[in-house]
Amino acid sequence: MSNKPANNIQDLQYFGEFGGVNPSISDSATYTFLHAKTMLDTFEGHAEGCYLYSRHTSPSNLYLSKALAAMECTETANVAASGMGAITSVLLQVCGAGDHIVSARTIYGGTYAFLKNFAPKLNISTSFVDITSLEKVEAAITPSTKMIYCEAISNPLLEIANLPELSKIAKKHNILLVVDNTFSPLLISPQKLGTDVTIHSLTKFINGTNDTVGGVVCGTQKFIDSLRSVNDGAAMLLGPVMDSLRASSILKNLRTLHIRMKKHSENAQYLAEKFELDGLKVVYPGLKSHKDHELFKSMYNEEYGFGGMMTIDVGNLDKANELMELMQHENLGYLAVSLGFYKTLFSAPGTSTSSEIPLEEQKQMGLSNGIIRFSIGLDNDIERTYRAMRRCMTKVGVLK
Ligand SMILES: *Cc1c(COP(=O)(O)O)cnc(C)c1O
């Protein structure tokens, strides 16, 4: 396997049961064995190519898992029914009562809520830190810390995690570095930068059509086997299983991810530059004004650019809402949470995806309520989009 993620996906050659160009969709919850002995071996996890029960693995899920492992250059992977299904499985696999996690404080709202409100019920505690301060990260590590958790590009502030340095800290303390790479598939390959476990919500860019939720955990064979263990595997026992039909459709969409990511990035870069020139407060990793622009460049796979996510601070929530409603009315995108769709999506994170984070903390981390988060779509004529967005901004008084 090369370290070029898109080539690895391209090079996968799967045949359907009858020579189909797409692999056949597995339509069974359970599987027969010709010999009783093989069933025991499969239960114990060492019967290559045998299937036991679809909560464990299914052919369709294995095809998709293998493709995602190829993309992330990891030994293997395990898909889940949602991003949260993947994330919580990893957290609960690694941590038990008394354990501690050092997490970035700007993370997906659901992950934040899980660590803040749910994990303490199991006596798992979390210190939320500014992930861009390596000193603060290291200072938060205690003897019971089991992992550093962060997002490669953080949600919604688009801060960049210094993965090579975080990896050094994790190795020094003999703990795991777990990275949610949902915002930056193909752009960033966390594994190549020293990450131990890479997670995605497939719901976003990877699937790209907003017709399903899905997740994946990419890592070593040993770690993925532990997640799937019939005795104590979190994925196996909590049961967030993806359906075969969905795995099959996500796999087909994955095949065009490289083309889509380039277009998302090209369009977002164009709009970010234009709106910054217009005098707006724009945050986009591809802008020289982004505080981690150089760090991002030191880590990214250049051909995919800086991604499709951008924020603009229009001052206050009322203006943000007015502008978003108008942009939707003008068919420039949808006022909706989520990201990675072919049409542009926008939402105000303070009142939506990050609303789980208390106001006081939102303020502390620089999450103003005038921020609009954009997931820029695949518009063919982005100049036309810019002109139309600009008209909306002028109309609501965000621009002169
Ligand atoms: C959406 C998202 C998740 C959760 O994924 P689901 O598929 O909705 O469960 C996790 N992390 C990030 C960064 C996300 O954007």
Side-chain angles (χ1 to χ4, degrees):
M1 198 192 292
S2 77
N3 63 3
K4 297 254 182 197
N7 290 1
N8 291 347
I9 296 173
Q10 157 119 37
D11 289 348
L12 292 167
Q13 189 186 43
Y14 294 152
F15 292 104
E17 201 176 352
F18 304 103
V21 293
N22 290 305
S24 308
I25 300 170
S26 47
D27 194 31
S28 294
T30 192
Y31 303 83
T32 59
F33 290 88
L34 292 179
H35 302 287
K37 165 84 170 59
T38 321
M39 183 184 272
L40 180 67
D41 289 345
T42 306
F43 245 100
E44 288 174 346
H46 32 249
E48 187 66 24
C50 285
Y51 298 93
L52 178 68
Y53 185 65
S54 285
R55 176 154 41 77
H56 184 250
T57 48
S58 66
S60 294
N61 287 9
L62 275 195
Y63 281 125
L64 177 60
S65 298
K66 214 171 129 187
L68 291 162
M71 179 183 85
E72 286 298 4
C73 309
T74 58
E75 282 176 24
T76 188
N78 190 48
V79 294
S82 69
M84 284 309 295
I87 292 166
T88 53
S89 296
V90 169
L91 298 175
L92 295 176
Q93 189 65 31
V94 176
C95 299
D99 289 339
H100 174 251
I101 296 168
V102 173
S103 169
R105 62 184 183 178
T106 50
I107 50 173
Y108 178 69
T111 313
Y112 180 85
F114 182 83
L115 290 172
K116 178 109 178 166
N117 307 324
F118 198 102
K121 294 198 277 188
L122 306 168
N123 199 19
I124 298 168
S125 61
T126 304
S127 300
F128 294 97
V129 299
D130 175 357
I131 202 73
T132 63
S133 163
L134 297 170
E135 297 76 35
K136 286 189 182 140
V137 170
E138 186 154 23
I141 295 172
T142 72
S144 45
T145 305
K146 287 287 183 292
M147 70 164 80
I148 300 173
Y149 182 92
C150 66
E151 294 170 7
I153 303 181
S154 84
N155 179 40
L157 291 175
L158 312 184
E159 292 173 335
I160 310 301
N162 188 336
L163 300 180
E165 289 302 320
L166 289 168
S167 156
K168 278 186 207 156
I169 296 175
K171 289 201 167 58
K172 181 173 152 197
H173 293 271
N174 203 20
I175 59 179
L176 297 180
L177 175 60
V178 178
V179 174
D180 179 339
N181 199 26
T182 301
F183 277 33
S184 40
L186 296 179
L187 278 57
I188 291 186
S189 304
Q191 190 75 15
K192 290 197 272 175
L193 302 167
T195 298
D196 299 289
V197 179
T198 302
I199 305 177
H200 284 277
S201 165
L202 304 176
T203 316
K204 316 297 170 52
F205 289 104
I206 291 180
N207 186 51
T209 47
N210 255 295
D211 50 0
T212 183
V213 290
V216 70
V217 181
C218 304
T220 61
Q221 187 73 48
K222 190 167 164 232
F223 184 73
I224 300 300
D225 283 349
S226 77
L227 275 180
R228 283 202 290 244
S229 160
V230 294
N231 294 313
D232 64 357
M236 179 66 184
L237 300 178
L238 297 171
V241 191
M242 178 175 284
D243 182 71
S244 289
L245 200 60
R246 284 305 187 185
S248 152
S249 81
I250 296 170
L251 178 59
K252 283 177 278 189
N253 287 357
L254 178 68
R255 295 286 195 173
T256 57
L257 180 65
H258 58 298
I259 303 170
R260 290 185 281 115
M261 287 318 293
K262 286 175 190 174
K263 193 66 181 169
H264 284 299
S265 292
E266 182 190 316
N267 285 351
Q269 182 80 38
Y270 182 88
L271 292 177
E273 284 174 10
K274 285 288 192 187
F275 285 128
E276 186 172 61
L277 274 179
D278 287 334
L280 290 176
K281 260 167 83 180
V282 184
V283 174
Y284 181 66
L287 292 175
K288 290 207 176 63
S289 60
H290 189 286
K291 70 180 171 54
D292 297 321
H293 177 65
E294 289 303 322
L295 170 64
F296 194 95
K297 276 171 66 176
S298 72
M299 297 195 299
Y300 79 157
N301 298 316
E302 191 176 348
E303 59 184 308
Y304 304 105
F306 296 88
M309 302 303 294
M310 163 181 104
T311 69
I312 296 182
D313 190 345
V314 299
N316 63 64
L317 184 59
D318 288 341
K319 273 282 167 260
N321 287 342
E322 198 186 338
L323 178 59
M324 289 190 296
E325 284 171 12
L326 182 60
M327 285 191 299
Q328 175 162 264
H329 180 75
E330 296 295 327
N331 194 14
L332 289 165
Y334 295 112
L335 202 183
V337 297
S338 199
L339 49 123
F341 192 42
Y342 44 78
K343 290 265 275 191
T344 293
L345 302 177
F346 33 79
S347 58
T351 52
S352 59
T353 53
S354 298
S355 58
E356 295 92 335
I357 304 173
L359 267 181
E360 199 42 50
E361 285 174 50
Q362 290 192 25
K363 240 187 246 153
Q364 229 184 41
M365 56 180 71
L367 187 56
S368 123
N369 69 5
I371 290 181
I372 300 177
R373 185 186 79 176
F374 289 84
S375 165
I376 304 300
L378 300 173
D379 312 25
N380 183 53
D381 184 351
I382 197 64
E383 263 185 78
R384 182 179 78 131
T385 302
Y386 166 68
R387 287 194 303 270
M389 279 189 175
R390 209 179 181 289
R391 276 197 298 276
C392 294
M393 292 187 187
T394 311
K395 198 163 176 189
V396 302
V398 166
L399 276 179
K400 292 258 152 37

